[in-house]
Every structure is written in C-alpha cells, then in structure tokens.
C-alpha cells in the first residue's frame, strides 16, 4: 500500500528512446521504455511529476568514468564501418551481446544524460526523487561494453551526486549482479554498493558474499547471492533487514536505486519469482527513509511485464494508488488477455531455503558492523574529473566541439588537455 505522504518527483523521458533497436531477436528492447511512459501517461501519473526531456551531455562528461578511446570508439562505430574496426570491436567487447546498431552513441547519450541530469536535479534540491526508466545500465566497464550496456549511467550519476554528498548508496535489485558499478567504486568508502542477485553459473558470474571491497572500500561492497525461485516473502525477509542496517551504519546523503525488472516472475532471461508488489516493496522501503533518490531501470526482457513493473513503481514513489484494471493505451493489446496491472506468479520451487537466507543475512550484517560511521577517503576511478570534487556538469552548456574535430575519424586518438588547449594543474597528476 503506497504511502500518502507526497514527494517532489521529477521524471526524465525522451520520446526518441523507443526508436533504437539492438537487432532482430535481441532480448534488450528500448521500446519497453516507450511502453512504460505511455502507461504512466494514461494512468495520469505524469500530472503528479515534473516531466523533463534530458539535455544531451557532451562526450567529455562520459569520460569522467569511461576511457577516452572507448568513448571515441562508440562515437564513430556504425553498422557500415564495422569492418574497419575489427580489432577495436574485440578490444571493447562490442559485437554480440552488445551489438553495433544505428544511433548507438545517441542512444547512450540519451539514457546517460537523463541519469546525470536527474542527479544534478537532486543536488540542486529541486526534487526528492528522480526517475529515469531508460537508465540503469549497470554492467558497462571503464573501457568495455558488457551485458547489453555500453555507457554506465549509474556510475556517472553517482559521480555527479558525490559533488554534493559525502556518501552515496547504490542498491541493485536487478537479477544480475551490478558488477560495473561495484568495480568502479570497489576501493572507496564514499560509495556503498549493495546488490541482490542470482549467483552461480549465471551472468556476469561475480557478486560472491565474500566480495566486500578493497583497501579503503573494504566492507563497502555488499553482495547477497541468491538461487532460483526467489519469492516475495523471502526477498522482503532479506532486503529490509540488510538495507535497514546499511542506512543506519552508512547514512547516505543520496541513494541510487537500480530497479531491473528481470527479477520478476516470468522474465525471459530471469529465474526469480517476484510479483510486482514484491519488487516494488523494495522501492517502498527505500522511499520510507526520505533520502534523495534516483530511480533507474535496468534489465527486464518480458515486454508486457516491464511497463507494468515500472509504472507501478512510479506510483509507489509518488504515494499514489492505481487501479489494477489497465487504462486504455497505445499498446493495450500487449497486456492481454487479462489487461490488468498485477500478474500472478508461477508455482516454481524456491531454491533459497530459510536457513541459507538467514545464514547469509547474518554474514552480511556482520560485515556491516565493521563500517565506520563517517567515512571520508578520496575517490579514485582513474579519471581526473571523477575524483573527490569532479568538475561540474553544466547541464545547460555542452562542451565545445574541438575534441569532435580531433577524433571524428580516429577512435584510437587520445584527446589530451594539451590537444584541446587546456592547462594541466599539477595537483591533478600528483
């Protein structure tokens, strides 16, 4: 039951997102975001939010986390020139799970701009929560595409939030481990990553309960590995105690919540058995702490279920009740034969025994006991602009196009400050 307490919620959406296509037979379909938006509009939820179309960030802003040559490559690659970049395709892991398609870089720019723009809005205290269902692409690495993800908007949004907040919490309820985000912040105590995911012979293969962070980041990476068949009651029994203790010990200034819908029952690639209410219970619990929250999408591969999930979670964040009977919308036929918001779960067996869940929960709560109350080490992700005080992302003004002229035809070209006529400050390289 959603709370009636109102929130200032901002919502980012670009109508172009549904036009991008990973290719025939590929499970990732950006069209699901357009379907979600249409359902949100027809439920009337958009009237309760400030709705924005994201202003595109510059490629330079993406290099706060990603390497220059990787971003340069994404900018120039297209289906017509792929044969000229065979070596780079292999090097950057682009081609199969992460195919080259028309408008690839613009697609990345679009979903990433919304996440960074949303983080900036939270920083300016213009919203209590921001929603970007096109974001949450949590597998992308510094110089490598992975798991349908090219640019890691989660990491870039967190870096934006770190400009204002001393500590940022990342929570991931996608069925897949949030490996790209964990890796980016594995050695810092300013970002805690918490991931609940299927583990064992399952992509990406990381996220063991013993992976807890490194150096200053030790105990700041929390992983809850799970087995097939996870249901609502089991999920609630671990999510609430773990996140409750995290909020108590870590006390974040902002939260990024990745709401991958592939943990729902009946997902094309998933193997959990959560209902919409079970999935959204996580949103409701995070909302109860009244901490500025950026809500992102992520996985979700059964086309009729993803819009249901994210529309319902929009209503939960707003504190609005919505009818189970779906309103008529542009994609009404997708939701047959019942045309209802909530769906029954399957009768699959839950392979997570209460004993296993309790034992793992206790193990994680023990790790959290060692978290120092007020961490403060410098954050290093390998990029000058992504240290403790990253350079501001002015959402109104794009960077000049000097760098574009330099690398338009050469993705291996490294754009240096010298080439762009910028002065280097000694402290940046100390």
């Amino acid at each position: 039951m959603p709370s009636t307490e109102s929130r200032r919620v901002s919502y980012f959406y670009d109508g172009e997102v549904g036009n991008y296509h990973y290719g025939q037979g590929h499970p990732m379909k950006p069209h699901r975001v357009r379907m979600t938006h249409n359902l949100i509009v027809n439920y009337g939820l958009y009237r309760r939010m400030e709705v924005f179309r994201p202003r595109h960030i510059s490629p330079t802003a993406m290099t706060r986390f990603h390497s220059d040559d990787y971003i340069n490559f994404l900018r120039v690659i297209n289906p017509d020139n792929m044969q000229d970049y065979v070596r780079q395709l292999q090097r950057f892991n682009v081609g199969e799970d992460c195919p080259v398609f028309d408008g690839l870089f613009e697609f990345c720019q679009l979903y990433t701009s919304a996440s960074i723009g949303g983080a900036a809005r939270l920083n300016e205290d213009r919203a209590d929560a921001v929603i970007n269902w096109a974001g949450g692409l949590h597998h992308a690495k510094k110089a490598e595409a992975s798991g349908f993800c090219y640019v890691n908007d989660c990491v870039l949004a967190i870096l934006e939030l770190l400009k204002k907040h001393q500590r940022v919490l990342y929570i991931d309820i996608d069925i897949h481990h949030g490996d790209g985000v964990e890796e980016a912040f594995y050695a810092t105590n300013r970002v805690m990553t918490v991931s609940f995911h299927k583990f064992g012979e399952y992509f990406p293969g990381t996220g063991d309960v013993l992976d807890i962070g490194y150096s200053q980041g030790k105990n700041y990476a929390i992983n809850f590995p799970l087995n097939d068949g996870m249901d609502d009651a089991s999920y609630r029994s671990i999510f609430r105690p773990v996140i409750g203790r995290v909020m108590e010990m870590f006390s974040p200034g902002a939260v990024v919540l990745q709401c991958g819908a592939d943990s729902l029952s009946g997902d094309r690639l998933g193997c959990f058995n959560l209902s919409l209410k079970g999935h959204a219970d996580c949103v409701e619990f995070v909302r109860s702490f009244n901490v500025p929250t950026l809500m992102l999408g992520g996985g979700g591969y059964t086309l009729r279920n993803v819009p249901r999930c994210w529309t319902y979670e929009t209503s939960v964040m707003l504190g609005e009740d919505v009818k189970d009977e779906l309103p008529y919308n542009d994609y009404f036929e997708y939701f047959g034969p019942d045309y209802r918001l909530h769906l029954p779960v399957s009768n699959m067996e839950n392979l997570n025994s209460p004993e296993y869940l309790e034992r793992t929960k206790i193990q994680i709560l023990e790790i959290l006991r060692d978290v120092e109350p007020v961490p403060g080490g410098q954050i290093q992700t390998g990029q000058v602009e992504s240290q403790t005080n990253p350079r501001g992302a002015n959402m109104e003004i794009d960077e000049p196009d000097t760098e574009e002229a330099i690398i338009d035809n050469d993705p291996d070209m490294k754009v240096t400050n010298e080439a762009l006529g910028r002065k280097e400050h000694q402290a940046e390289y100390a």
Side-chain angles (χ1 to χ4, degrees):
M1 176 72 179
S3 155
T4 52
E5 187 189 339
S6 71
R7 295 285 155 88
R8 297 174 300 156
V9 179
S10 295
Y11 171 81
F12 280 74
Y13 174 74
D14 191 311
E16 290 295 310
V17 71
N19 295 333
Y20 296 99
H21 193 245
Y22 276 59
Q24 191 172 7
H26 198 289
M28 178 62 125
K29 301 188 187 305
H31 178 60
R32 69 207 174 124
V33 182
R34 178 185 277 163
M35 290 173 65
T36 302
H37 176 72
N38 202 262
L39 208 48
I40 286 170
V41 167
N42 282 285
Y43 262 120
L45 293 171
Y46 73 103
R47 294 194 191 97
R48 293 283 322 279
M49 303 186 284
E50 285 193 276
V51 181
F52 297 93
R53 184 176 184 177
R55 184 181 182 89
H56 283 191
I57 56 160
S58 68
T60 306
M62 296 181 184
T63 63
R64 286 181 189 144
F65 171 55
H66 293 287
S67 65
D68 290 350
D69 49 357
Y70 175 57
I71 295 301
N72 295 343
F73 167 76
L74 291 179
R75 292 179 65 188
V76 301
I77 196 72
N78 63 59
D80 297 326
N81 66 10
M82 282 173 63
Q83 65 281 358
D84 301 330
Y85 296 102
V86 175
R87 187 172 57 85
Q88 290 96 326
L89 286 165
Q90 193 171 8
R91 175 184 165 198
F92 297 126
N93 194 36
V94 173
E96 291 187 16
D97 276 358
C98 304
V100 175
F101 56 86
D102 282 321
L104 169 58
F105 186 73
E106 289 73 24
F107 172 66
C108 296
Q109 214 171 12
L110 190 152
Y111 73 76
T112 303
S113 298
S115 294
I116 294 178
R121 196 157 179 81
L122 290 174
N123 282 352
E124 293 157 6
D125 194 26
R126 294 187 180 184
D128 302 312
V130 176
I131 297 170
N132 171 28
W133 293 128
L137 277 72
H138 58 168
H139 293 306
K141 309 293 196 301
K142 178 186 168 84
E144 187 180 300
S146 175
F148 316 157
C149 308
Y150 303 87
V151 172
N152 200 317
D153 63 295
C154 310
V155 170
L156 291 164
I158 290 168
L159 290 171
E160 184 71 21
L161 290 167
L162 285 168
K163 294 175 188 175
K164 179 180 178 186
H165 302 284
Q166 184 63 28
R167 294 177 298 284
V168 175
L169 171 63
Y170 173 77
I171 303 171
D172 194 314
I173 59 172
D174 193 291
I175 195 169
H176 301 96
H177 178 230
D179 58 335
V181 187
E182 178 183 277
E183 184 179 299
F185 300 111
Y186 205 60
T188 178
N189 55 13
R190 291 191 60 201
V191 178
M192 180 176 281
T193 59
V194 185
S195 181
F196 300 82
H197 50 269
K198 157 77 174 161
F199 184 71
E201 294 185 17
Y202 199 71
F203 183 86
T206 50
D208 191 288
V209 70
L210 298 174
D211 296 337
I212 59 171
Y214 173 75
S215 184
Q216 287 192 321
K218 188 178 179 184
N219 303 322
Y220 291 86
I222 303 296
N223 287 295
F224 206 124
L226 299 163
N227 301 311
D228 291 12
M230 199 64 186
D231 59 26
D232 292 1
S234 295
Y235 211 96
R236 183 185 172 103
S237 76
I238 60 166
F239 186 86
R240 288 187 170 235
V242 168
I243 295 302
R245 182 64 61 85
V246 164
M247 297 301 272
E248 178 192 335
M249 298 299 293
F250 187 61
S251 187
V255 174
V256 175
L257 177 59
Q258 198 268 18
C259 302
D262 46 8
S263 42
L264 289 174
S265 181
D267 187 79
R268 179 177 165 186
L269 300 185
C271 53
F272 282 1
N273 200 22
L274 294 180
S275 72
L276 257 61
K277 287 182 177 174
H279 199 269
D281 184 67
C282 301
V283 175
E284 173 65 34
F285 190 62
V286 170
R287 180 186 191 271
S288 70
F289 289 95
N290 291 317
V291 175
T293 303
L294 176 63
M295 280 174 72
L296 304 174
Y301 307 103
T302 299
L303 206 54
R304 64 186 177 274
N305 291 351
V306 179
R308 285 175 157 118
C309 179
W310 291 344
T311 300
Y312 182 60
E313 289 177 347
T314 302
S315 78
V316 168
M317 184 52 82
L318 284 166
E320 286 278 301
D321 281 318
V322 287
K323 291 180 181 175
D324 189 31
E325 188 180 338
L326 288 173
Y328 187 76
N329 61 85
D330 292 352
Y331 307 100
F332 198 59
E333 66 279 4
Y334 281 79
F335 302 108
D338 53 354
Y339 305 102
R340 298 202 165 270
L341 182 64
H342 294 280
L343 291 169
V345 294
S346 80
N347 61 355
M348 74 185 293
E349 184 186 357
N350 184 356
L351 299 180
N352 300 274
S353 69
E355 295 76 26
Y356 167 74
L357 294 176
E358 184 65 21
R359 188 170 67 246
T360 310
K361 181 181 78 177
I362 289 167
Q363 199 174 348
I364 286 170
L365 295 180
E366 281 296 312
I367 294 166
L368 288 168
R369 280 181 60 185
D370 295 329
V371 170
E372 55 177 292
V374 185
Q378 187 173 35
I379 180 165
Q380 299 277 0
T381 64
Q383 296 291 328
V384 171
E385 295 168 9
S386 63
Q387 292 174 3
T388 308
N389 296 305
R391 199 172 64 183
N394 190 329
M395 299 310 293
E396 298 304 316
I397 303 166
D398 284 343
E399 292 281 334
D401 289 337
T402 321
E403 65 178 273
E404 294 177 21
I406 294 174
I407 57 90
D408 249 52
N409 296 310
D410 187 0
D412 281 338
M413 174 72 179
K414 182 166 177 66
V415 181
T416 61
N417 283 333
E418 192 178 4
L420 292 171
R422 297 182 190 141
K423 291 184 178 177
E424 294 179 357
H425 191 279
Q426 287 305 310
E428 292 180 342
Y429 299 95

